[in-house]
Amino acid sequence: MTRIAVITPVSQNRLAHLHRQRRFLREVLGPHHDVVRIEAWLDSEPPPPFDGAVHVHVPPGRDGMRVGAGRNAAAEIALSRDVDLLVFLDVDCLPGPELLDGYVAAARSHPDGLLCGPVTYLESVQRPSAPDQLEAMTRPHPVRPNPATGVVSTAEADEYDLFWSLSFAVTPATWARLGGFDERYEGYGAEDTDLGRRARAAGIPLHWVGGAHAYHQWHPAGTPPWRHLDDILRNGALFAERWAEWPMGGWIDEFVAAGAVEPHGGGYRRTAA
């Protein structure tokens, strides 16, 4: 039996998604899974009582929610409970029927890797009520590889920026090599791209895990995400300090084209009013 920690960052405004994820996770568990569910609560107030998960409270910092710090704190608890595998699944994501089995199998064959399954972004009208409805909705995001079920494909060096933290898995040994998320990133954006870059720099292979599907539940979002503009500028500058280039380039270009952002000093800033 494999002992798995499922780690989920949580906030009050995603409670409906969280309840559905909890239920789906219970329904996809197999008899060979021993799951420790750890929820990292990111709001100012501590979480409401819930006896089906371990809770850790990581309140916001000066610049917003500390998602990376929450994942790190949850992982620390998981490691203290002698888990064999860390599975990170964002609150917006539903586990597909083969997600846990896929990650477990991939971790056995590729224990030193950063493991990523395909992600389908559900449409607003798609509100699955049971895991057996997910197969018909499967439509993985086309920007990332989607290997056949049971196939693990190793990423090329230029694919590391396609690492998304909403669904991934690592062994405890690989997590220790990664060193967790950089907790200087607060608010929205760039902490996962930074982790992918650090994995590449450390020689940790990135693997695409066929069949380990996650399904991102719909919620309103802007393209580009205007409400996160200041976070993107701040975190983008932090990323650029380390990697000498800006992340989220497509969104930055759209902000510039809209006249809200301008190049400045090798980076970007809000356009003066």
Side-chain angles (χ1 to χ4, degrees):
M1 181 174 290
T2 302
R3 187 166 173 80
I4 307 166
V6 177
I7 293 171
T8 301
V10 179
S11 63
Q12 186 75 28
N13 66 348
R14 291 287 187 268
L15 276 183
H17 287 181
L18 174 64
H19 291 321
R20 187 178 287 114
Q21 185 195 86
R22 286 171 172 169
R23 179 164 55 80
F24 273 53
L25 187 59
R26 288 194 300 269
E27 294 179 11
V28 303
L29 293 181
H32 50 291
H33 296 142
D34 179 14
V35 169
V36 179
R37 181 172 177 82
I38 306 174
E39 296 173 357
W41 202 264
L42 305 178
D43 291 326
S44 298
E45 299 300 318
F50 175 66
D51 60 7
V54 178
H55 281 151
V56 58
H57 184 212
V58 182
R62 182 187 65 183
D63 293 315
M65 286 187 177
R66 299 187 292 146
V67 181
R71 294 192 185 106
N72 290 348
E76 185 176 351
I77 292 173
L79 297 177
S80 73
R81 298 189 173 218
D82 297 322
V83 300
D84 303 304
L85 186 65
L86 305 172
V87 173
F88 293 81
L89 190 66
D90 271 10
V91 68
D92 294 329
C93 289
L94 300 172
E98 304 299 324
L99 181 137
L100 294 178
D101 283 340
Y103 278 146
V104 167
R108 287 173 179 161
S109 59
H110 299 79
D112 299 326
L114 186 57
L115 310 171
C116 297
V119 177
T120 290
Y121 280 78
L122 298 175
E123 298 175 359
S124 60
V125 295
Q126 293 179 307
R127 306 289 176 89
S129 59
D132 61 7
Q133 298 175 358
L134 293 173
E135 184 177 358
M137 301 178 184
T138 302
R139 182 177 39 84
H141 196 290
V143 75
R144 300 205 306 175
N146 177 31
T149 298
V151 174
V152 177
S153 174
T154 301
E156 301 293 337
D158 62 356
E159 291 181 318
Y160 275 76
D161 284 356
L162 297 177
F163 167 73
W164 298 340
S165 55
L166 72 174
S167 174
F168 74 100
V170 288
T171 62
T174 300
W175 180 252
R177 286 185 65 194
L178 281 167
F181 287 88
D182 186 334
E183 297 187 7
R184 294 179 298 166
Y185 292 96
E186 295 183 355
Y188 182 87
E191 83 281 350
D192 50 357
T193 310
D194 177 81
L195 188 75
R197 288 286 183 98
R198 287 192 287 113
R200 185 175 66 184
I204 297 172
L206 173 65
H207 301 299
W208 309 117
V209 182
H213 289 278
Y215 298 80
H216 183 277
Q217 303 176 78
W218 182 87
H219 59 78
T223 302
W226 285 100
R227 66 192 180 98
H228 298 304
L229 190 156
D230 289 322
D231 288 348
I232 289 170
L233 291 176
R234 185 185 61 255
N235 287 339
L238 179 60
F239 182 95
E241 285 180 13
R242 172 176 285 163
W243 303 110
E245 62 179 302
W246 275 65
M248 301 174 281
W251 289 340
I252 292 289
D253 289 344
E254 291 188 60
F255 292 140
V256 170
V261 167
E262 63 185 4
H264 174 73
Y268 299 91
R269 67 180 181 183
R270 273 187 177 267
T271 304

mmCIF file of all heavy atoms in Angstrom, residues 120-137:
data_model
loop_
_atom_site.group_PDB
_atom_site.id
_atom_site.type_symbol
_atom_site.label_atom_id
_atom_site.label_comp_id
_atom_site.label_asym_id
_atom_site.label_seq_id
_atom_site.Cartn_x
_atom_site.Cartn_y
_atom_site.Cartn_z
ATOM 1 N N THR A 120 -7.464 19.251 -17.850
ATOM 2 C CA THR A 120 -8.581 19.723 -18.660
ATOM 3 C C THR A 120 -9.239 20.899 -17.955
ATOM 4 O O THR A 120 -9.533 20.817 -16.756
ATOM 5 C CB THR A 120 -9.622 18.604 -18.854
ATOM 6 O OG1 THR A 120 -9.088 17.596 -19.711
ATOM 7 C CG2 THR A 120 -10.912 19.154 -19.456
ATOM 8 N N TYR A 121 -9.441 21.983 -18.685
ATOM 9 C CA TYR A 121 -10.173 23.128 -18.140
ATOM 10 C C TYR A 121 -11.648 22.977 -18.512
ATOM 11 O O TYR A 121 -12.017 23.071 -19.678
ATOM 12 C CB TYR A 121 -9.599 24.440 -18.684
ATOM 13 C CG TYR A 121 -8.346 24.874 -17.960
ATOM 14 C CD1 TYR A 121 -7.122 24.281 -18.247
ATOM 15 C CD2 TYR A 121 -8.395 25.853 -16.968
ATOM 16 C CE1 TYR A 121 -5.970 24.662 -17.566
ATOM 17 C CE2 TYR A 121 -7.261 26.242 -16.293
ATOM 18 C CZ TYR A 121 -6.050 25.645 -16.594
ATOM 19 O OH TYR A 121 -4.909 26.016 -15.913
ATOM 20 N N LEU A 122 -12.477 22.718 -17.509
ATOM 21 C CA LEU A 122 -13.898 22.527 -17.747
ATOM 22 C C LEU A 122 -14.564 23.847 -18.124
ATOM 23 O O LEU A 122 -14.146 24.915 -17.676
ATOM 24 C CB LEU A 122 -14.568 21.945 -16.507
ATOM 25 C CG LEU A 122 -14.076 20.554 -16.070
ATOM 26 C CD1 LEU A 122 -14.729 20.159 -14.750
ATOM 27 C CD2 LEU A 122 -14.349 19.512 -17.143
ATOM 28 N N GLU A 123 -15.599 23.757 -18.930
ATOM 29 C CA GLU A 123 -16.361 24.938 -19.311
ATOM 30 C C GLU A 123 -17.393 25.262 -18.238
ATOM 31 O O GLU A 123 -17.685 24.434 -17.360
ATOM 32 C CB GLU A 123 -17.028 24.703 -20.666
ATOM 33 C CG GLU A 123 -16.018 24.460 -21.789
ATOM 34 C CD GLU A 123 -16.680 24.118 -23.108
ATOM 35 O OE1 GLU A 123 -17.936 24.043 -23.138
ATOM 36 O OE2 GLU A 123 -15.959 23.920 -24.095
ATOM 37 N N SER A 124 -17.962 26.450 -18.314
ATOM 38 C CA SER A 124 -18.868 26.908 -17.254
ATOM 39 C C SER A 124 -20.088 26.001 -17.090
ATOM 40 O O SER A 124 -20.630 25.877 -15.985
ATOM 41 C CB SER A 124 -19.321 28.340 -17.536
ATOM 42 O OG SER A 124 -20.005 28.409 -18.773
ATOM 43 N N VAL A 125 -20.510 25.372 -18.172
ATOM 44 C CA VAL A 125 -21.703 24.524 -18.098
ATOM 45 C C VAL A 125 -21.375 23.097 -17.666
ATOM 46 O O VAL A 125 -22.282 22.290 -17.467
ATOM 47 C CB VAL A 125 -22.425 24.486 -19.459
ATOM 48 C CG1 VAL A 125 -22.952 25.862 -19.818
ATOM 49 C CG2 VAL A 125 -21.507 23.945 -20.555
ATOM 50 N N GLN A 126 -20.101 22.797 -17.514
ATOM 51 C CA GLN A 126 -19.691 21.439 -17.152
ATOM 52 C C GLN A 126 -19.503 21.354 -15.642
ATOM 53 O O GLN A 126 -18.508 21.822 -15.094
ATOM 54 C CB GLN A 126 -18.396 21.058 -17.879
ATOM 55 C CG GLN A 126 -18.564 20.941 -19.382
ATOM 56 C CD GLN A 126 -17.264 20.593 -20.086
ATOM 57 O OE1 GLN A 126 -16.248 21.253 -19.904
ATOM 58 N NE2 GLN A 126 -17.296 19.552 -20.906
ATOM 59 N N ARG A 127 -20.479 20.756 -14.990
ATOM 60 C CA ARG A 127 -20.456 20.602 -13.526
ATOM 61 C C ARG A 127 -20.612 19.118 -13.194
ATOM 62 O O ARG A 127 -21.701 18.660 -12.832
ATOM 63 C CB ARG A 127 -21.575 21.404 -12.872
ATOM 64 C CG ARG A 127 -21.620 22.881 -13.248
ATOM 65 C CD ARG A 127 -20.470 23.663 -12.647
ATOM 66 N NE ARG A 127 -20.480 25.054 -13.091
ATOM 67 C CZ ARG A 127 -21.129 26.038 -12.477
ATOM 68 N NH1 ARG A 127 -21.852 25.773 -11.394
ATOM 69 N NH2 ARG A 127 -21.071 27.281 -12.936
ATOM 70 N N PRO A 128 -19.561 18.326 -13.344
ATOM 71 C CA PRO A 128 -19.694 16.883 -13.126
ATOM 72 C C PRO A 128 -20.098 16.571 -11.684
ATOM 73 O O PRO A 128 -19.661 17.239 -10.739
ATOM 74 C CB PRO A 128 -18.291 16.358 -13.422
ATOM 75 C CG PRO A 128 -17.385 17.536 -13.223
ATOM 76 C CD PRO A 128 -18.178 18.722 -13.660
ATOM 77 N N SER A 129 -20.932 15.568 -11.543
ATOM 78 C CA SER A 129 -21.392 15.177 -10.216
ATOM 79 C C SER A 129 -20.779 13.864 -9.760
ATOM 80 O O SER A 129 -20.961 13.463 -8.605
ATOM 81 C CB SER A 129 -22.920 15.054 -10.197
ATOM 82 O OG SER A 129 -23.359 14.098 -11.157
ATOM 83 N N ALA A 130 -20.053 13.192 -10.636
ATOM 84 C CA ALA A 130 -19.419 11.921 -10.286
ATOM 85 C C ALA A 130 -18.194 11.701 -11.169
ATOM 86 O O ALA A 130 -18.156 12.166 -12.318
ATOM 87 C CB ALA A 130 -20.406 10.765 -10.455
ATOM 88 N N PRO A 131 -17.171 11.003 -10.662
ATOM 89 C CA PRO A 131 -15.958 10.781 -11.438
ATOM 90 C C PRO A 131 -16.185 10.078 -12.778
ATOM 91 O O PRO A 131 -15.439 10.317 -13.739
ATOM 92 C CB PRO A 131 -15.089 9.927 -10.505
ATOM 93 C CG PRO A 131 -15.550 10.293 -9.135
ATOM 94 C CD PRO A 131 -17.035 10.512 -9.271
ATOM 95 N N ASP A 132 -17.222 9.223 -12.856
ATOM 96 C CA ASP A 132 -17.418 8.492 -14.107
ATOM 97 C C ASP A 132 -17.924 9.391 -15.240
ATOM 98 O O ASP A 132 -18.027 8.965 -16.392
ATOM 99 C CB ASP A 132 -18.336 7.288 -13.909
ATOM 100 C CG ASP A 132 -19.736 7.652 -13.428
ATOM 101 O OD1 ASP A 132 -20.070 8.863 -13.373
ATOM 102 O OD2 ASP A 132 -20.498 6.729 -13.083
ATOM 103 N N GLN A 133 -18.247 10.643 -14.934
ATOM 104 C CA GLN A 133 -18.649 11.594 -15.977
ATOM 105 C C GLN A 133 -17.456 12.322 -16.598
ATOM 106 O O GLN A 133 -17.596 12.998 -17.621
ATOM 107 C CB GLN A 133 -19.614 12.626 -15.386
ATOM 108 C CG GLN A 133 -20.914 12.045 -14.865
ATOM 109 C CD GLN A 133 -21.772 13.101 -14.183
ATOM 110 O OE1 GLN A 133 -21.385 14.270 -14.063
ATOM 111 N NE2 GLN A 133 -22.953 12.698 -13.723
ATOM 112 N N LEU A 134 -16.290 12.192 -15.998
ATOM 113 C CA LEU A 134 -15.151 12.996 -16.412
ATOM 114 C C LEU A 134 -14.563 12.567 -17.753
ATOM 115 O O LEU A 134 -14.074 13.412 -18.523
ATOM 116 C CB LEU A 134 -14.060 12.949 -15.339
ATOM 117 C CG LEU A 134 -14.419 13.617 -14.010
ATOM 118 C CD1 LEU A 134 -13.335 13.351 -12.976
ATOM 119 C CD2 LEU A 134 -14.625 15.114 -14.198
ATOM 120 N N GLU A 135 -14.598 11.287 -18.053
ATOM 121 C CA GLU A 135 -13.973 10.817 -19.295
ATOM 122 C C GLU A 135 -14.549 11.534 -20.515
ATOM 123 O O GLU A 135 -13.806 11.931 -21.430
ATOM 124 C CB GLU A 135 -14.135 9.307 -19.449
ATOM 125 C CG GLU A 135 -13.426 8.767 -20.682
ATOM 126 C CD GLU A 135 -13.523 7.262 -20.784
ATOM 127 O OE1 GLU A 135 -14.112 6.615 -19.891
ATOM 128 O OE2 GLU A 135 -12.999 6.711 -21.782
ATOM 129 N N ALA A 136 -15.868 11.726 -20.527
ATOM 130 C CA ALA A 136 -16.508 12.372 -21.672
ATOM 131 C C ALA A 136 -16.148 13.853 -21.771
ATOM 132 O O ALA A 136 -16.314 14.461 -22.834
ATOM 133 C CB ALA A 136 -18.029 12.220 -21.572
ATOM 134 N N MET A 137 -15.643 14.418 -20.693
ATOM 135 C CA MET A 137 -15.277 15.836 -20.675
ATOM 136 C C MET A 137 -13.782 16.061 -20.905
ATOM 137 O O MET A 137 -13.328 17.204 -20.957
ATOM 138 C CB MET A 137 -15.668 16.454 -19.322
ATOM 139 C CG MET A 137 -17.140 16.367 -18.996
ATOM 140 S SD MET A 137 -17.506 17.076 -17.358
ATOM 141 C CE MET A 137 -19.268 16.724 -17.231
#
